[in-house]
Amino acid sequence: MKDWVIKIMKSMLFLLILLGVVSGRRTQLLKGLPATSTVEENAAAGVSVYTFNVTVSPLSSEGVAVLPTIVNSNPLTEAFDIESIGGLEYRVVTTGNPVLDYETMPKSFDLQIFVEDTTGRTDLNVLTVQVTDKNERPVFRGNMAIETVMIYVLEGTPPERIYQVDAADPENAELKYSLLPAPVPFMVLESGVIFSTKEFDYERDPHCYFLNITVTDPEGLNSTKTVNINIININDERPYFTTNQRIYRIPEEESPGTIVANITAKDPDDEDSPSRLFYSIQSSGTYFSINPSTGVLQVTGRINRDALPLQLHPNVSVTVRVQDSPSGGHASEMEITIIIDDINDNPPECIPSTFRREANENMTAGTFLIDLRNYCKDIDADPSNSRFNFTGLSGFGSNYFALESTGSGRLVMTESIDLENPANLGVEVYSLTVRVQDIAWPNYTSKYPFYTSFDIFLCYIIYIYIRIKPVNEFFPVFSNLSYEFNVSEIAKVGSSIGRVNARDKDWPPSVITYSIAAGGGTRDYTNIFWISPTKGDVKILARLDYETTQKHILIVEASDQEKTATASVTVNVLEVNDEEPVCSPNFYSFQIPVSTAVGTNINGFRIQCQDRDSDPRSFRYFINEGNVNNHFTFSPSAGSNISRLILASRFNYENGLDTNWIYRLRIYITDDNLLSARDRTTHLIKTGTVTLSITVIPNPTTVIATTPGFTVVTKRENLYSESAWYVPFVITLGSLLLLGLLAYLGLLLAMWVRTRCPPAGKAGVPSRINAPEKKKPKKEVVVTMTKLNTVFDGEARDPVTGKMYEFNTRSGARRWKKSCETLQPAPAVLVMSSTTDNADQGTERAEAPSKKELSEKKKEPTAETKPAIKPSAAQSKTPWPRLQKQKEDSKEKELSSPAPQGKY
C-alpha cells in the first residue's frame, strides 16, 4: 500500500514538473544530458551507471533548489537512483531492487531527470540506460536448487536409472553434467540422468554414497550440488544358529519353567544392530516351549517318564526354528534331542481310586465282591519299585467285609445284611477304605508333595462304597379295596375328582406308579379319565354327561415296577342343569295384516321346546328384544313346552303411535319355571333363543275381490357332520372332473360334426350372424322363490312421498299407481295369461329385476300377444294390446318405484 502511494505521489510530482517546465523558464542546467550509458545485468546495488553535472546561474548564490531527480522512466522501474558525488556533480547508480536481468527484463530504460535552481530555472533531460548481457552460471532447478537430494536404493536392485538432475542456463546454452568422485558405482549422462552401474549388497558394499554433480555451460561456468544416495537393507539373508550343542539330558518330573537349553542365532542382515529374531518349536509336543524372543528352551508341561509315549521312547526330538520375521521371511531349523532320565516317583495307584459295588440284601457270607489287584499297579520302570501290599481295611460297616490276604486284594462279605431289619433300617451304603503301600523306597516329592523321603510307611488310600441293593419282597397294598368319587357333570376338563393311595413294606419304600387298567370309556372316547402316575390323583379328560352315563367304574393298578395290585374306583356323575332348551323353529319370518285382532294366534304360529335335563313344565317364555309397544306375547308364558304367539295389542299407525312395519323379535326360553325366586339366584339356568321377523301389511283403501296370489319360499340347508368334511370335497372334485371331461368330449364331437357335415344354406332362413347371444340363466343355490299370479288387491298412500301405491295383501308386493288408473279386478284372461307366463318363465327371484334383465325381456316377444285360451265375450271387450301395455307399464313402475318392497 505504501509503495502504491509513493508511485502516485511521484506521478503527481512529474505532472507538476512538466507544467512548470512548460509554463516556466527552461535553461540548460544538466550538463552531459541527454546521453546514453550501459550497465551489466545482475549489477549490485550502488554500481555507477552515468555521471553528470548541474550548471547553475551566477545569480543563484544558494545553488540548486530541487536536486536532480528521476521523475519518470520508460519502462517504469525503480532499479535506478541519483546520488550526489560532491558539489554539483551527480551520478546515476543501481538500487538492486529489482536486480537487472537481461533475459527477463527490458533491455533499455529512458530515465527523465529533472533539476531546478534557486532562481526558478528548470531543466528536464533523458538518460538512456542500456542493459548489457553477461554470461551467468547455470542454476539447478527443483529440489536440488534448495536442498541436498536424498536418494534411496534397495539392495539387490539391478542397474537402472535412479534420478534426473534438472538444471538450466540463463543464456539457454547447452549444459554438460559430471560427477565426483569418479570411482563410484554411478554415472551421469549428458542429459543429467544418474544411473547405478551395479547391484548393491548391503552386507558387503558401503551403505551411503555422496555424489557431487557439476553442471557446466560452454564458457566454463559451472555449479555443483551434492546428491546423497543411501543403500536400503532388505531381508535377503537367512539367519543361522550359533549354538553347537545338539543333545541335552534332564530328569523326569522337572517343574514347569526349568531351563533346558539356551538357543542362539544371528541374522546377517542385522550386523550393525542386535538381531531381532523369532524362535519357535516346529515339532508337535507339550513338554517344552521356547521363548520367541530369547530362544530359551524350558519345560512347559509335566514330563512323566513312566507314561506313554516316554515309557517306550524316552528321547524327545525338538525341531527349533528361527526366522527373521514373525510371519514369513527367511528361516533356519535345527533339531535337538532331549533325553529323559527315569526316577522312582510313582507310588502304587488304583484306577479308579474309588470303587462302587452293589450287593443284594440277604446275600450269604463269603460272597466275593471285588479284586483290587486288578485295578492297582505301580508303573515305575524298575521292577523293584513296583511291588505293593493291601492293608488296613476300615470304615463304616467294615465288620460285614474282609480282605482274604494282605497281598491278594480280594474283598468278600462276612455275613448277610437284611435292610428291613430294624438294626439296619435306613443303611444302604457302606464306606470302606483300604491302604495300598509301595514296598520300595519312595521318591514322591516332585509328583506328590505330601510325601517326603522319611514317609516310607505312607500309603496310597483307595475308597470302596458297597451299596446294598434292596430286593423287592412285598406287593403294593391300596389303602382301600375300593374307592367312590362323586363329580358334577359340568366339572372342568383336567379337574381332580379324587386320589388313591398304595404302599408296600419294602425298604427303602418303593416308588409306586399308578395307571388305569380298565373302565372309564365311552362311545366317543377310549378313556375319559386320567390318573397321575406318581400321586394317584384321578382327573377327567373329557366333559361328563349325566344324560349319557351316570356311573363309571375304573380298575386302578399300582405297581412298584415288579409287583402290582389293583383296586376299583366308582365315579358317580351328578346331574346338573347344563343343557339349553332347544326350540323348533328357531327362526321364522311371516307377514300379518295391520287389522289383525287382539288375541289372535298370529298365523297359527307356535314353538315347541325340549330340554334333555329339564321337565317340560320348567320353561318360561319372554320377548327380550324387538317387541316395540308390546304388541306381541306368548301364551302360555310358562309351564309348558309348547307356546303360541299372540297379538297382545292392536297396531295404531294412524295416530303415529306405531312407526315400525317390521318387527324382529328375539325370544328367550329359560328352564327355571319350577324354581323359586330364591333358588333362581343359586341354581344354574340355561336359556334358548328363537328369532322371529314379522312384517305388518297395511290395510287397502279399496278391497277388490281378486284371484289371490302367493309366494313360495324354499329354504335349503346343507347339514353334514364336521368329521365328514371329505364328502363334499370329494363330490365337488369329482363333479368338476366329470364336467371337464363332458365339455372336452362335447368339443371333440362338435369339431367332428363340423368337419363331417358342413352347414348348407337354406332359402328363406334368415342369417343368424347378428342374432343376439342367448344369456345363460342365473343359478340360485340356497333360496329360490316362485312368483305366481301376483294381484294387487289393495292401495294405500306412501307416508313419505304422498303418492298412492298398490299392494298385495298376501305377499306384500307393491307398485306405484298411475294417476289415471283405477283399481279394477283383473280379467280372467289376464289371470290365465299371467299363469301361462309364469309357467313358461319358471322360477323367478322375488327381488326387482335388473336393468339388463328388463331390457332383455323387452326385446323378447311376450307370451301375452298370444292368448292361452279363447277369451269370452265380456273379456274380448278389453283390447289385448292395452293389457300388454299396462303390464309393461306396471313392470316399469315396479322397477322405478322408490317405495319399500315387500319382504318374502
Side-chain angles (χ1 to χ4, degrees), residues 592-896:
I592 63 173
V594 70
S595 59
T596 303
V598 175
T600 302
N601 179 198
I602 299 174
N603 282 13
F605 176 79
R606 71 174 187 174
I607 57 176
Q608 184 173 358
C609 302
Q610 60 181 358
D611 191 337
R612 296 177 60 191
D613 56 7
S614 299
D615 190 272
R617 298 173 300 167
S618 64
F619 297 118
R620 288 195 307 121
Y621 307 87
F622 60 93
I623 302 174
N624 187 61
E625 298 177 8
N627 193 11
V628 180
N629 294 332
N630 297 322
H631 286 301
F632 306 96
T633 186
F634 276 89
S635 178
S637 62
S640 174
N641 65 330
I642 299 176
S643 183
R644 293 172 175 80
L645 179 64
I646 304 298
L647 183 66
S649 62
R650 64 181 298 274
F651 299 102
N652 189 349
Y653 293 96
E654 292 80 4
N655 299 330
L657 181 62
D658 290 320
T659 59
N660 293 339
W661 293 90
I662 299 176
Y663 293 84
R664 291 180 173 84
L665 306 182
R666 189 172 183 85
I667 298 93
Y668 284 179
I669 301 93
T670 61
D671 55 6
D672 59 348
N673 183 54
L674 301 179
L675 299 177
S676 63
R678 184 177 60 181
D679 292 339
R680 289 176 184 175
T681 61
T682 58
H683 282 64
L684 183 63
I685 300 173
K686 292 295 183 176
T687 303
T689 59
V690 173
T691 303
L692 300 180
S693 177
I694 303 174
T695 303
V696 181
I697 304 301
N699 285 328
T701 57
T702 303
V703 178
I704 301 174
T706 59
T707 302
F710 60 92
T711 300
V712 177
V713 179
T714 302
K715 182 177 181 181
R716 300 176 181 174
E717 295 183 358
N718 293 327
L719 301 176
Y720 62 93
S721 175
E722 293 183 356
S723 60
W725 60 268
Y726 57 88
V727 175
F729 174 76
V730 173
I731 294 175
T732 303
L733 181 60
S735 301
L736 293 176
L737 294 177
L738 182 58
L739 288 175
L741 178 60
L742 293 177
Y744 179 69
L745 293 177
L747 178 61
L748 294 180
L749 179 61
M751 295 176 61
W752 181 83
V753 171
R754 186 174 181 180
T755 55
R756 295 291 182 178
C757 304
K762 296 182 180 180
V765 179
S767 174
R768 300 175 57 88
I769 296 177
N770 298 325
E773 182 182 0
K774 187 176 181 180
K775 302 295 182 177
K776 295 182 179 180
K778 297 185 177 179
K779 297 180 179 180
E780 292 293 330
V781 178
V782 179
V783 178
T784 60
M785 297 183 182
T786 304
K787 181 178 180 183
L788 300 177
N789 195 19
T790 302
V791 177
F792 300 92
D793 54 358
E795 64 179 15
R797 184 178 300 278
D798 181 59
V800 179
T801 62
K803 295 181 180 181
M804 295 299 294
Y805 65 92
E806 297 174 348
F807 62 91
N808 183 282
T809 57
R810 292 289 184 179
S811 64
R814 305 179 187 185
R815 71 175 182 181
W816 293 113
K817 180 181 179 183
K818 294 184 178 180
S819 60
C820 61
E821 182 180 354
T822 59
L823 185 64
Q824 295 179 359
V829 64
L830 177 61
V831 173
M832 296 178 68
S833 62
S834 300
T835 304
T836 306
D837 292 342
N838 290 334
D840 294 337
Q841 294 174 1
T843 301
E844 298 180 353
R845 298 183 62 180
E847 299 174 354
S850 64
K851 293 182 179 180
K852 182 175 180 181
E853 293 172 349
L854 184 59
S855 62
E856 291 176 358
K857 289 181 179 181
K858 286 183 178 181
K859 292 180 181 180
E860 297 175 357
T862 61
E864 295 175 357
T865 58
K866 297 180 181 180
I869 60 175
K870 185 176 181 179
S872 63
Q875 295 170 349
S876 63
K877 293 179 181 179
T878 303
W880 187 257
R882 181 181 176 183
L883 294 176
Q884 179 181 355
K885 185 174 186 305
Q886 288 179 356
K887 184 174 182 180
E888 292 177 356
D889 292 341
S890 65
K891 290 182 179 180
E892 292 177 358
K893 283 295 183 177
E894 291 175 11
L895 180 62
S896 60

Side-chain angles (χ1 to χ4, degrees), residues 544-578:
L544 302 176
D545 188 6
Y546 175 84
E547 289 72 25
T548 302
T549 306
Q550 292 79 29
K551 180 181 295 186
H552 299 273
I553 299 177
L554 315 178
I555 303 300
V556 177
E557 182 180 86
S559 172
D560 61 2
Q561 315 309 320
E562 293 183 10
K563 295 179 172 59
T564 60
T566 59
S568 64
V569 176
T570 301
V571 180
N572 298 317
V573 181
L574 304 180
E575 183 181 12
V576 178
N577 184 20
D578 62 336

Side-chain angles (χ1 to χ4, degrees), residues 18 61 98 131 178 180 190 219 259 276 317 374 399 450 508 609 628 657 659-660 707 728 757 771 851 854 874 892:
L18 289 179
S61 59
V131 180
S178 60
L180 290 175
E190 293 184 356
E219 296 185 7
I259 296 177
R276 179 170 177 77
S317 296
N374 294 335
N399 55 313
F450 52 85
C609 302
V628 180
L657 181 62
T659 59
N660 293 339
T707 302
C757 304
K851 293 182 179 180
L854 184 59
E892 292 177 358

Side-chain angles (χ1 to χ4, degrees), residues 84-98:
S84 174
I85 299 177
L88 297 177
E89 187 175 6
Y90 298 89
R91 65 177 181 181
V92 177
V93 297
T94 58
T95 62
N97 184 25

Side-chain angles (χ1 to χ4, degrees), residues 84-129:
S84 174
I85 299 177
L88 297 177
E89 187 175 6
Y90 298 89
R91 65 177 181 181
V92 177
V93 297
T94 58
T95 62
N97 184 25
V99 178
L100 298 174
D101 187 7
Y102 182 82
E103 287 76 23
T104 61
M105 296 179 64
K107 308 298 188 293
S108 175
F109 296 91
D110 293 333
L111 308 179
Q112 295 180 350
I113 301 175
F114 173 80
V115 68
E116 180 181 0
D117 63 7
T118 57
T119 61
R121 295 187 303 170
T122 62
D123 192 8
L124 179 65
N125 273 307
V126 176
L127 173 63
T128 299
V129 180

